[in-house]
Amino acid sequence: MIIIENSSDFHIEGPCAVAIGKFDGIHKGHRKLLEDLLCQKRRGMKTVVFTFDPSPASFFAGREIASLSTKEEKRCWFEEYGIDVLIEFPLNEDTAATEPELFVRKYLKDNIGAAFIVAGRDISFGQGGKGDYRLLEKLCPELSIETDFIDKVEENGIEISSSLIREAITEGRMEEAAQYLGAYYTISGRVTHGRALGRTIGIPTINVIPPAGKLLPPNGVYYSRVRIGERVLRGMTNIGVKPTVTDEKSIVSETYLYDFSGDLYDKEAYISIMSFRRPEMRFKDIAELKERMSLDIESGRIFHHNRDRLEGIG
């Protein structure tokens, strides 16, 4: 996959099929849009994802807004999906002030060679966000560009959106978030050295520092699955500041892995947060902490057994 970043002066040899959006979270609605995009490969078109960096939410707020998907996560996801070109369009004072019609003519038609555009009906672009699907419907036939606009995907009668998923994650409703995403919400990062306290009390854990800018659920203990390489392991993950053993405020995810022993330091771990167990707590001493962790682990064995059977996992 070719990545075009930090430049509004680019050129792609068309014809191209282009999907435009923020793509925060890559939920079921995004998947439908991208499936439509990939269908155009059979017509000989290059597939292009056009997104923005920084996100419109962060740019217009003047500060970083935590995202469901980091830039690195989106890049990996699009590459795995088979996208040919990813454009991370630089959003700044100049580009944000582009008149919507000029945006279509210059960037989509001239620079990309768009012959097909797919987007959600809630798309907005150009100065003041005045560009919308109606403008594209009106302008694109003149430019020999086909269009397809995707209606909101619904789950149990509820329209799926990134804001809906953000709300669920912020409140720790991880199973609801997974319904909208079509997959469990995942935190990725390299396994780092911690204080090794878990190892000394017979409950070893792996430590991962969540990526900067990643939206996190409330501090607490969660049932989880962890993918490292080709292996998928069951776990219990604590997200928080570990108040019983440190006064530091930096957030870390610590995961106990069932039925595993070995060295995972510096490996890339993908921690899927499945369901909330309890909030993070301060215990009076290490002995009380160990007792509660043992109860959590036993609860996790039951949870994973039931969930594996429900999902048909042997």
Side-chain angles (χ1 to χ4, degrees), residues 237-262:
T237 297
N238 182 82
I239 297 173
V241 296
K242 301 183 287 187
T244 304
V245 298
T246 180
D247 291 326
E248 295 179 10
K249 298 303 180 185
S250 57
I251 293 180
V252 175
S253 71
E254 268 191 313
T255 302
Y256 171 81
L257 299 173
Y258 291 93
D259 307 315
F260 176 82
S261 63

Side-chain angles (χ1 to χ4, degrees), residues 15-20 33-41 43 45-48 108-109 112-119 140 143-150:
C16 293
V18 186
I20 309 172
L33 187 152
L34 290 169
E35 285 163 9
D36 193 1
L37 178 72
L38 288 168
C39 285
Q40 306 310 311
K41 273 197 172 186
R43 301 172 63 190
M45 295 190 201
K46 290 179 185 174
T47 52
V48 179
L108 300 181
K109 184 60 179 180
I112 299 177
F116 178 89
I117 292 174
V118 60
C140 284
L143 300 174
S144 299
I145 301 173
E146 294 180 60
T147 56
D148 190 19
F149 300 106
I150 305 298

Side-chain angles (χ1 to χ4, degrees), residues 20-269:
I20 309 172
K22 298 185 287 291
F23 296 100
D24 190 21
I26 317 294
H27 54 62
K28 287 180 176 178
H30 293 135
R31 293 169 193 265
K32 184 176 180 181
L33 187 152
L34 290 169
E35 285 163 9
D36 193 1
L37 178 72
L38 288 168
C39 285
Q40 306 310 311
K41 273 197 172 186
R42 293 195 290 271
R43 301 172 63 190
M45 295 190 201
K46 290 179 185 174
T47 52
V48 179
V49 168
F50 189 108
T51 188
F52 303 90
D53 183 36
S55 69
S58 293
F59 175 74
F60 290 111
R63 58 184 176 84
E64 185 176 51
I65 303 294
S67 301
L68 298 171
S69 305
T70 65
K71 184 191 295 189
E72 291 72 23
E73 287 171 340
K74 282 193 275 192
R75 286 178 173 184
C76 289
W77 202 91
F78 290 134
E79 185 156 30
E80 289 177 3
Y81 221 76
I83 299 303
D84 296 316
V85 182
L86 170 62
I87 297 173
E88 295 169 350
F89 188 75
L91 198 55
N92 53 46
E93 294 294 339
D94 291 334
T95 58
T98 305
E99 285 294 332
E101 183 170 332
L102 178 61
F103 182 95
V104 177
R105 293 182 182 275
K106 179 179 180 181
Y107 296 118
L108 300 181
K109 184 60 179 180
D110 295 343
N111 290 20
I112 299 177
F116 178 89
I117 292 174
V118 60
R121 289 190 182 275
D122 59 349
I123 185 177
S124 64
F125 58 89
Q127 186 181 47
K130 291 182 292 186
D132 59 11
Y133 84 92
R134 294 180 182 86
L135 175 65
L136 289 171
E137 275 186 329
K138 177 183 176 182
L139 188 59
C140 284
E142 172 195 330
L143 300 174
S144 299
I145 301 173
E146 294 180 60
T147 56
D148 190 19
F149 300 106
I150 305 298
D151 292 321
K152 289 280 190 182
V153 173
E154 293 189 357
E155 184 78 20
N156 298 324
I158 299 172
E159 289 188 349
I160 295 174
S161 67
S162 294
S163 58
L164 182 70
I165 297 166
R166 293 171 67 87
E167 180 181 306
I169 290 169
T170 300
E171 296 176 1
R173 294 181 277 117
M174 306 311 297
E175 288 169 298
E176 183 178 332
Q179 280 188 309
Y180 302 141
L181 286 165
Y184 293 115
Y185 189 62
T186 299
I187 298 167
S188 62
R190 292 204 172 273
V191 178
T192 62
H193 289 273
R195 298 165 61 94
L197 174 63
R199 194 171 302 280
T200 65
I201 62 175
I203 307 176
T205 59
I206 60 169
N207 289 265
V208 170
I209 298 173
K214 177 78 171 180
L215 183 70
L216 298 176
N219 290 0
V221 176
Y222 296 83
Y223 305 110
S224 62
R225 285 188 188 136
V226 181
R227 179 170 64 84
I228 300 176
E230 298 300 316
R231 301 190 64 174
V232 177
L233 303 160
R234 280 69 178 161
M236 293 292 297
T237 297
N238 182 82
I239 297 173
V241 296
K242 301 183 287 187
T244 304
V245 298
T246 180
D247 291 326
E248 295 179 10
K249 298 303 180 185
S250 57
I251 293 180
V252 175
S253 71
E254 268 191 313
T255 302
Y256 171 81
L257 299 173
Y258 291 93
D259 307 315
F260 176 82
S261 63
D263 182 1
L264 295 174
Y265 289 121
D266 209 34
K267 303 281 188 185
E268 191 74 15

